[in-house]
């Protein structure tokens, strides 16, 4: 454990993963028995990570873990806000970390629902929904050439593919365990299929089952916070009519009422036009030799605009939910 703290390699993500292990929790319970808050905090945060990375959990268990973590964080935060002598910047995690965890939890929960509704017979592999594959790919590319243009990147794809295939073959032979002992560098595990049950990962809970899981998660979060002397508010009850109004408000898309930058076009329409321009640019080369760079730049801008658009819709949805309470 000492080597994960003193002189640790900042790129060794295995050190961060070990922090949430059962061994660390056992160590804290024995050496620091009065630090219940630290043990519970590491357990809750570790559950969030495990909900994505674990290969053997059912989707129902993942949903319960994510909701329990969300209730715990929100209950802790609300306790700090209500306490007259506490402040969020002193007695709570950083605002950036709270936002990251909240977005991640919401994304994992929505991913399960969307996958269930549109791909009910296809297994959902949570650990593949990340940037890990891209990080590995570009890491291998920089082993070939430290700095490269887009054209050079296209030309080196066969070499990078061969390099990744060689690394995966080596790691499957046991080199991964040797690398773990060295305690440096990134640890890519997206190719690890040990313990994967595809039949289990293609089974999704119903809405009624999810409601039951939410109630169980809330009760468990209440227990964890109660140990720390924090009272978690009861689950809000939303009537069906009010919930329907909130969903209708979300589907109306408030951004359509905002003034457009050019003419009366909506943001969605302008974005669609940009995407079509990129497609024509890429397929027909309307802008000469720089068409690829321009298309990639525009695609990046479009992606950011889409993310902001969806975030604003979620904010409006949460606002309507709070009004119902």
């Amino acid at each position: 454990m000492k080597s994960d703290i003193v002189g640790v390699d900042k790129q060794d993500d295995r050190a961060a993963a070990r922090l949430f292990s059962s061994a660390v929790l056992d160590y804290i319970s024995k050496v620091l028995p009065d630090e219940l808050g630290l043990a519970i905090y590491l357990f809750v945060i570790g559950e969030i990570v495990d909900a994505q990375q674990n290969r053997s959990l059912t989707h129902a268990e993942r949903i319960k873990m994510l909701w329990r973590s969300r209730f715990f964080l929100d209950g802790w935060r609300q306790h700090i806000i209500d306490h007259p002598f506490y402040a969020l910047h002193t007695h709570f995690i950083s605002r950036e970390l709270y936002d990251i965890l909240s977005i991640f939890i919401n994304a994992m929960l929505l991913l399960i629902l969307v996958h269930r509704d549109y791909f009910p017979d296809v297994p959902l592999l949570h650990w593949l929904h990340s940037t890990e594959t891209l990080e590995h790919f570009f890491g291998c590319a920089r082993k070939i050439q430290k700095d490269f243009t887009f054209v050079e990147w296209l030309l080196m794809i066969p070499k990078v593919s061969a390099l990744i295939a060689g690394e995966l073959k080596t790691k499957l032979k046991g080199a991964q365990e040797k690398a773990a002992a060295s305690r440096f560098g990134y640890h890519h595990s997206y190719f690890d299929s040990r313990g994967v049950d595809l039949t289990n990962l293609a089974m999704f809970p119903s809405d009624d089952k999810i409601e039951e899981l939410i109630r169980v998660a809330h009760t468990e979060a209440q227990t964890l916070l109660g140990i720390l002397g924090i009272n978690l508010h009861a689950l809000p009850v939303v009537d069906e009519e009010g919930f329907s109004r909130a969903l209708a408000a979300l589907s109306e898309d408030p951004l359509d009422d905002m003034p457009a930058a050019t003419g009366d076009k909506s943001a969605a329409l302008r974005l669609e036009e940009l995407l079509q321009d990129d497609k024509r640019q890429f397929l027909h080369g309307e802008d000469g030799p720089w068409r690829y760079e321009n298309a990639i730049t525009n695609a990046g801008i479009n992606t950011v605009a889409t993310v902001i658009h969806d975030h604003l819709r979620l904010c409006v949805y949460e606002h309507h939910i709070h009004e119902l309470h």
Side-chain angles (χ1 to χ4, degrees):
M1 182 182 296
K2 182 178 179 180
S3 60
D4 288 341
I5 301 174
V6 180
V8 63
D9 178 14
K10 303 303 182 183
Q11 291 184 329
D12 184 13
D13 47 9
R14 285 162 290 193
R18 284 188 289 267
L19 182 62
F20 306 114
S21 65
S22 59
V24 172
L25 295 178
D26 182 63
Y27 176 85
I28 293 175
S29 66
K30 294 178 180 177
V31 180
L32 303 170
D34 296 330
E35 297 294 339
L36 285 176
L38 175 60
I40 292 176
Y41 172 75
L42 292 178
F43 168 76
V44 170
I45 302 301
E47 290 274 273
I48 298 176
V49 178
D50 202 38
Q52 184 200 33
Q53 292 296 322
N54 195 295
R55 269 58 167 169
S56 59
L57 289 175
T58 64
H59 294 311
E61 187 65 24
R62 296 176 201 272
I63 290 174
K64 187 180 73 170
M65 291 164 61
L66 291 168
W67 272 108
R68 180 173 60 214
S69 301
R70 184 60 190 265
F71 287 136
F72 179 88
L73 292 173
D74 289 348
W76 178 18
R77 184 174 184 273
Q78 190 60 46
H79 175 74
I80 300 300
I81 294 175
D82 295 339
H83 201 286
F85 302 115
Y86 291 165
L88 289 176
H89 66 275
T90 305
H91 301 93
F92 192 60
I93 58 178
S94 67
R95 178 179 58 83
E96 292 79 9
L97 177 57
Y98 176 72
D99 289 341
I100 290 172
L101 293 176
S102 298
I103 293 172
F104 180 81
I105 291 173
N106 291 342
M108 287 295 101
L109 292 171
L110 289 173
L111 180 61
I112 296 175
L113 295 179
V114 171
H115 203 95
R116 181 198 66 181
D117 294 341
Y118 290 93
F119 309 99
D121 300 323
V122 180
L124 171 58
L125 310 181
H126 290 264
W127 58 94
L128 295 182
H129 291 266
S130 70
T131 60
E132 186 178 0
T133 307
L134 292 176
E135 291 171 2
H136 191 196
F137 190 94
F138 280 97
C140 290
R142 290 189 176 92
K143 290 181 181 179
I144 300 174
Q145 186 171 336
K146 292 293 183 182
D147 191 16
F148 47 83
T149 65
F150 179 63
V151 174
E152 291 170 335
W153 176 76
L154 290 175
L155 295 176
M156 72 170 70
I157 286 179
K159 294 182 180 179
V160 174
S161 300
L163 184 59
I164 291 178
E167 286 192 3
L168 297 183
K169 185 176 180 181
T170 302
K171 289 175 180 177
L172 291 176
K173 287 183 177 180
Q176 193 75 339
E177 286 73 14
K178 296 179 181 178
S182 62
R183 297 177 184 271
F184 71 89
Y186 287 117
H187 171 61
H188 298 292
S189 60
Y190 62 89
F191 51 84
D192 188 357
S193 59
R194 291 174 296 181
V196 173
D197 185 350
L198 295 180
T199 302
N200 176 48
L201 293 174
M203 299 175 62
F204 300 91
S206 63
D207 289 342
D208 293 336
K209 179 62 176 179
I210 291 177
E211 290 183 8
E212 178 185 345
L213 293 169
I214 292 175
R215 288 192 291 269
V216 173
H218 186 269
T219 302
E220 293 179 355
Q222 277 183 320
T223 302
L224 291 174
L225 290 171
I227 295 174
L228 304 176
I230 299 177
N231 180 36
L232 180 62
H233 298 299
L235 270 174
V237 178
V238 181
D239 61 284
E240 293 295 332
E241 182 180 353
F243 189 67
S244 300
R245 290 199 303 270
L247 289 179
L250 177 63
S251 62
E252 288 174 0
D253 194 349
L255 294 184
D256 290 341
D257 298 330
M258 296 176 61
T262 56
D264 297 328
K265 297 179 180 178
S266 67
L269 180 58
R270 295 199 307 276
L271 181 58
E272 178 64 24
E273 290 179 351
L274 284 174
L275 291 172
Q276 293 299 326
D277 288 343
D278 284 342
K279 182 178 179 180
R280 288 192 298 270
Q281 205 172 6
F282 187 81
L283 295 178
H284 304 294
E286 296 177 357
D287 284 347
W290 301 104
R291 60 186 182 278
Y292 297 112
E293 286 79 3
N294 292 338
I296 291 298
T297 300
N298 287 338
I301 296 173
N302 295 341
T303 301
V304 173
T306 303
V307 171
I308 295 175
H309 177 270
D310 292 342
H311 177 69
L312 290 175
R313 293 184 65 186
L314 286 175
C315 289
V316 172
Y317 174 68
E318 291 183 355
H319 175 69
H320 283 284
I321 289 294
H322 287 310
E323 287 184 343
L324 292 174
H325 297 169

